[in-house]
Amino acid sequence: MSTEYTNKLHAGSAFPDISAKLLNGDTKKLATPENGLDWKMIVVYRGQHCPLCTRYLNQLESVRDYLAETGVDLIAVSGDSKAQLESHLPRLDINFPIAYGLTVEQMEELGVYISDPRSPQETDHPFSEPALFVVNNEGNVHVADISNNPFVRPEIETLVSGLGWIRNPDNNYPIRGTHK
């Protein structure tokens, strides 16, 4: 077992130029906001084998409109294959883009924790543990949450209300965690 530390993305640093594929064949840059919005939330999830990820993605759908009202676009991504994502879709009730095929090298670039499957029944490839990044209009990491297991994730209502507060220009809220 390796105890080497991962290379975490630092608050305020540029989000890496990472792309992943959608089921329709399009390739999306993870940090590029769309739909007239100027910030991007990237949710990195473990994969179709994780029921907690399925629940979290479905919960995110319930706040998608509020995120858009605050200028935050949303995408989810995992290291699953196209076939694994297709088998996951019946359990998902979402209308935001979901990408697949995140490589181990891309996971390392994001600084996420990477796990090996416990058995072939779980999955057939190394996978990312949950992570969530919010990238601001300058392409920098404004919010980062990186977990090493499926049980620790940002509480969605607190997250979206906090993003609304951060995005309010009256609050002049800086990127936190940048002390050197």
Side-chain angles (χ1 to χ4, degrees):
M1 174 158 86
S2 173
T3 57
E4 294 177 22
Y5 289 95
T6 59
N7 179 31
K8 303 288 179 241
L9 286 180
H10 293 276
S13 67
F15 191 86
D17 185 22
I18 293 177
S19 297
K21 285 192 174 189
L22 303 179
L23 284 177
N24 67 6
D26 288 351
T27 299
K28 295 284 182 191
K29 287 189 175 200
L30 295 182
T32 301
E34 297 180 326
N35 307 309
L37 306 174
D38 62 346
W39 282 32
K40 187 72 171 251
M41 179 186 293
I42 301 106
V43 177
V44 183
Y45 70 101
R46 300 173 83 224
Q48 59 90 27
H49 67 277
C50 177
L52 295 173
C53 293
T54 301
R55 184 173 70 208
Y56 198 76
L57 293 171
N58 285 330
Q59 289 172 338
L60 280 168
E61 177 62 31
S62 69
V63 298
R64 185 175 54 88
D65 289 342
Y66 180 78
L67 287 169
E69 288 171 18
T70 60
V72 180
D73 197 17
L74 175 62
I75 191 168
V77 64
S78 77
D80 276 356
S81 67
K82 182 177 184 180
Q84 288 169 321
L85 176 53
E86 288 171 337
S87 75
H88 195 190
L89 287 179
R91 291 175 279 147
L92 295 173
D93 186 17
I94 62 173
N95 290 306
F96 54 86
I98 187 166
Y100 68 92
L102 201 61
T103 67
V104 169
E105 293 76 22
Q106 289 171 320
M107 293 176 201
E108 290 171 346
E109 193 173 0
L110 290 171
V112 298
Y113 289 100
I114 303 168
S115 292
D116 291 317
R118 296 184 311 153
S119 70
Q121 291 72 37
E122 185 173 49
T123 192
D124 61 355
H125 57 85
F127 57 90
S128 171
E129 291 297 339
L132 185 146
F133 303 97
V134 180
V135 178
N136 64 25
N137 57 332
E138 296 175 359
N140 297 326
V141 176
H142 207 97
V143 175
D145 184 88
I146 300 171
S147 178
N148 74 319
N149 68 76
F151 309 109
V152 180
R153 303 167 197 247
E155 196 277 321
I156 291 175
E157 295 300 325
T158 303
L159 173 66
V160 296
S161 67
L163 287 172
W165 201 86
I166 289 170
R167 297 292 326 260
N168 181 338
D170 293 340
N171 295 325
N172 194 29
Y173 198 75
I175 298 173
R176 306 310 300 181
T178 58
H179 178 81
K180 294 182 184 188

